[in-house]
Amino acid sequence: MSNPLYLDYGATTPLDPRVAAAMEPWGVTGFGNPHSAHLWGYQARAAVELARDSVAAAIGAPPETIAFTSGATESVNWALKGLMTHPGNTRRRILTTATEHNCVLETARYLESLGAQLTVLPVRGDGLLDVDDLARAMGDDVALVSIMLVNNEIGVIQPIADIAAIARRHGAVMHCDAAQGFGKIAIDVDAMGIDLLSLTAHKIYGPKGVGALYRRPYTMLTPLLHGGGQEDGRSGTLPTALIAGLGTAARLAVAQMAADAAHARMLADTLLGALSVPHVVHGSLDRRWPGNLNLGFPGVTVPLLPHLPGLALSSGSACSAVTGRPSHVLTALGLSDTQARAALRLGFGRFTTATEMVKAADDINTVVARLGAGNQAS
Ligand SMILES: Cc1ncc(COP(=O)(O)O)c(C=O)c1O
């Protein structure tokens, strides 16, 4: 039996062979510690700094504002905990939305258990934050506004520049979880007013286990990992191969951003055009990353995934697949638990073909026609 068709790019993307090639020397011969003061160290350090330049350039930031981490989860933890536990920060409130990734929501809840105040704003039915809601909820007690760029389950793009302008007016720090937006849509931290930005390599054809945190100079942050202090407050020996992979993935993503987006749009159009059963796309149709389609099928009230063995996809995030709970993102849009469980999240991109999208649509058409007929909502 052949492997199921991979349509879970929101969970992680395949490694681009060009990224794998760039990583290879640093996993074998280039084994030196990038912090060592000898030839092996200098060579590894040069690879790390090249990657830092690439990541910085991709978000319009100076290289020294980039600190490498183990991925977006660590970056988010550092941003939120680092600011809220900094002795110079006298404000206690965190403002975020109901559709953030769990690494933001759980970290914020943890900080709440330590005495922070947490305001979780609802989103509209299209998954976007109403900036008037944000303006009403803001106050000079807000230390941190943390809002994602591209949603990992429904692909919608939040109006970060408008959000950051409101945060700045009140003197709050603006953190953006850009795990799903970095390398896919243009980011300029200055133009967008972002003070802290979390990113990761494995959503843009890079390796898992590496990411970065952008820190605007003078943003108050205590370290998350204490020790040798290698990355300006983030301790631990840097993984040269992973970082070289992140840098190469970032360079490639920027160089072919328009082509990748056009390809993803073509794939989305192909799938939607080939679907013959009634369906709805969850989340805004206008403001979205096209490589993420979250679909519902009116009349289908059972989870579809078990009926689609030929497709490797998910109904919500990879995390909700672990907990078995319905997606908090879809329920925040107003879907019932049943509707959320019956949804399909399709993620596709650089290595997906139009033929594969037609096959996916065929499989979905067959299953929905079969299940929908017996499950018509009254
Ligand atoms: C929006 C968002 N934030 C954060 C993360 C966590 O990233 P990482 O796997 O690099 O820790 C993910 C990954 O699923 C994500 O989609």
mmCIF file of all heavy atoms in Angstrom, residues 71-73 101 103 148 152 177 179-180 200 202-203, ligand 1:
data_model
loop_
_atom_site.group_PDB
_atom_site.id
_atom_site.type_symbol
_atom_site.label_atom_id
_atom_site.label_comp_id
_atom_site.label_asym_id
_atom_site.label_seq_id
_atom_site.Cartn_x
_atom_site.Cartn_y
_atom_site.Cartn_z
ATOM 1 N N GLY A 71 12.815 26.598 18.930
ATOM 2 C CA GLY A 71 11.586 26.634 18.129
ATOM 3 C C GLY A 71 10.650 27.708 18.655
ATOM 4 O O GLY A 71 10.967 28.421 19.620
ATOM 5 N N ALA A 72 9.494 27.809 18.032
ATOM 6 C CA ALA A 72 8.570 28.886 18.418
ATOM 7 C C ALA A 72 8.044 28.708 19.840
ATOM 8 O O ALA A 72 7.797 29.682 20.539
ATOM 9 C CB ALA A 72 7.417 28.963 17.423
ATOM 10 N N THR A 73 7.873 27.477 20.284
ATOM 11 C CA THR A 73 7.362 27.271 21.642
ATOM 12 C C THR A 73 8.309 27.904 22.659
ATOM 13 O O THR A 73 7.877 28.613 23.575
ATOM 14 C CB THR A 73 7.195 25.762 21.930
ATOM 15 O OG1 THR A 73 6.266 25.222 20.996
ATOM 16 C CG2 THR A 73 6.708 25.515 23.347
ATOM 17 N N HIS A 101 -2.147 29.859 19.431
ATOM 18 C CA HIS A 101 -1.593 28.515 19.630
ATOM 19 C C HIS A 101 -1.486 28.250 21.137
ATOM 20 O O HIS A 101 -1.293 29.182 21.932
ATOM 21 C CB HIS A 101 -0.207 28.459 18.983
ATOM 22 C CG HIS A 101 0.385 27.087 18.920
ATOM 23 N ND1 HIS A 101 1.140 26.552 19.946
ATOM 24 C CD2 HIS A 101 0.347 26.136 17.958
ATOM 25 C CE1 HIS A 101 1.543 25.344 19.600
ATOM 26 N NE2 HIS A 101 1.073 25.063 18.398
ATOM 27 N N CYS A 103 0.860 27.258 22.857
ATOM 28 C CA CYS A 103 2.093 27.694 23.521
ATOM 29 C C CYS A 103 1.944 29.117 24.060
ATOM 30 O O CYS A 103 2.564 29.471 25.061
ATOM 31 C CB CYS A 103 3.327 27.534 22.630
ATOM 32 S SG CYS A 103 3.378 28.583 21.187
ATOM 33 N N MET A 148 -1.080 36.350 17.209
ATOM 34 C CA MET A 148 -0.368 35.632 16.151
ATOM 35 C C MET A 148 -0.536 36.317 14.795
ATOM 36 O O MET A 148 -1.483 37.065 14.586
ATOM 37 C CB MET A 148 -0.857 34.188 16.084
ATOM 38 C CG MET A 148 -2.241 34.043 15.535
ATOM 39 S SD MET A 148 -3.115 32.513 16.020
ATOM 40 C CE MET A 148 -1.895 31.268 15.940
ATOM 41 N N ASN A 152 -2.636 28.876 12.738
ATOM 42 C CA ASN A 152 -2.158 27.565 12.312
ATOM 43 C C ASN A 152 -3.280 26.614 11.909
ATOM 44 O O ASN A 152 -3.046 25.633 11.212
ATOM 45 C CB ASN A 152 -1.325 26.917 13.419
ATOM 46 C CG ASN A 152 -2.022 26.925 14.761
ATOM 47 O OD1 ASN A 152 -2.515 27.961 15.211
ATOM 48 N ND2 ASN A 152 -2.065 25.785 15.407
ATOM 49 N N ASP A 177 3.365 35.903 17.532
ATOM 50 C CA ASP A 177 3.731 34.520 17.229
ATOM 51 C C ASP A 177 3.621 34.375 15.701
ATOM 52 O O ASP A 177 2.524 34.269 15.155
ATOM 53 C CB ASP A 177 2.771 33.568 17.956
ATOM 54 C CG ASP A 177 2.961 32.115 17.527
ATOM 55 O OD1 ASP A 177 3.841 31.839 16.688
ATOM 56 O OD2 ASP A 177 2.203 31.262 18.030
ATOM 57 N N ALA A 179 4.986 31.932 13.887
ATOM 58 C CA ALA A 179 5.419 30.586 13.488
ATOM 59 C C ALA A 179 4.877 30.203 12.109
ATOM 60 O O ALA A 179 5.558 29.560 11.323
ATOM 61 C CB ALA A 179 4.983 29.564 14.541
ATOM 62 N N GLN A 180 3.633 30.604 11.828
ATOM 63 C CA GLN A 180 3.020 30.205 10.553
ATOM 64 C C GLN A 180 3.114 31.286 9.481
ATOM 65 O O GLN A 180 2.692 31.063 8.351
ATOM 66 C CB GLN A 180 1.546 29.840 10.770
ATOM 67 C CG GLN A 180 1.315 28.657 11.683
ATOM 68 C CD GLN A 180 1.488 27.317 10.977
ATOM 69 O OE1 GLN A 180 1.552 27.241 9.754
ATOM 70 N NE2 GLN A 180 1.549 26.245 11.740
ATOM 71 N N THR A 200 9.895 29.929 13.689
ATOM 72 C CA THR A 200 10.374 28.545 13.703
ATOM 73 C C THR A 200 10.763 28.139 12.287
ATOM 74 O O THR A 200 10.316 28.751 11.312
ATOM 75 C CB THR A 200 9.282 27.613 14.284
ATOM 76 O OG1 THR A 200 9.829 26.327 14.547
ATOM 77 C CG2 THR A 200 8.091 27.441 13.337
ATOM 78 N N HIS A 202 10.511 24.838 10.999
ATOM 79 C CA HIS A 202 9.926 23.638 10.385
ATOM 80 C C HIS A 202 8.587 23.850 9.691
ATOM 81 O O HIS A 202 7.992 22.889 9.186
ATOM 82 C CB HIS A 202 9.853 22.486 11.398
ATOM 83 C CG HIS A 202 8.790 22.602 12.443
ATOM 84 N ND1 HIS A 202 7.638 21.875 12.391
ATOM 85 C CD2 HIS A 202 8.728 23.324 13.571
ATOM 86 C CE1 HIS A 202 6.905 22.142 13.458
ATOM 87 N NE2 HIS A 202 7.545 23.032 14.189
ATOM 88 N N LYS A 203 8.123 25.098 9.637
ATOM 89 C CA LYS A 203 6.930 25.378 8.832
ATOM 90 C C LYS A 203 7.322 25.930 7.471
ATOM 91 O O LYS A 203 6.472 26.210 6.633
ATOM 92 C CB LYS A 203 6.022 26.396 9.540
ATOM 93 C CG LYS A 203 5.764 26.140 11.010
ATOM 94 C CD LYS A 203 4.889 24.947 11.279
ATOM 95 C CE LYS A 203 4.579 24.861 12.774
ATOM 96 N NZ LYS A 203 3.773 23.696 13.129
HETATM 97 C C1 LIG B 1 1.091 29.281 15.438
HETATM 98 C C2 LIG B 1 2.117 28.396 16.050
HETATM 99 N N1 LIG B 1 2.810 28.820 17.117
HETATM 100 C C3 LIG B 1 3.750 28.067 17.692
HETATM 101 C C4 LIG B 1 4.047 26.809 17.234
HETATM 102 C C5 LIG B 1 5.107 25.998 17.919
HETATM 103 O O1 LIG B 1 6.250 25.941 17.109
HETATM 104 P P1 LIG B 1 7.422 24.897 17.414
HETATM 105 O O2 LIG B 1 6.938 23.577 16.911
HETATM 106 O O3 LIG B 1 8.587 25.424 16.652
HETATM 107 O O4 LIG B 1 7.666 24.912 18.883
HETATM 108 C C6 LIG B 1 3.357 26.312 16.132
HETATM 109 C C7 LIG B 1 3.608 24.946 15.626
HETATM 110 O O5 LIG B 1 2.727 24.147 15.515
HETATM 111 C C8 LIG B 1 2.369 27.124 15.516
HETATM 112 O O6 LIG B 1 1.677 26.696 14.475
#
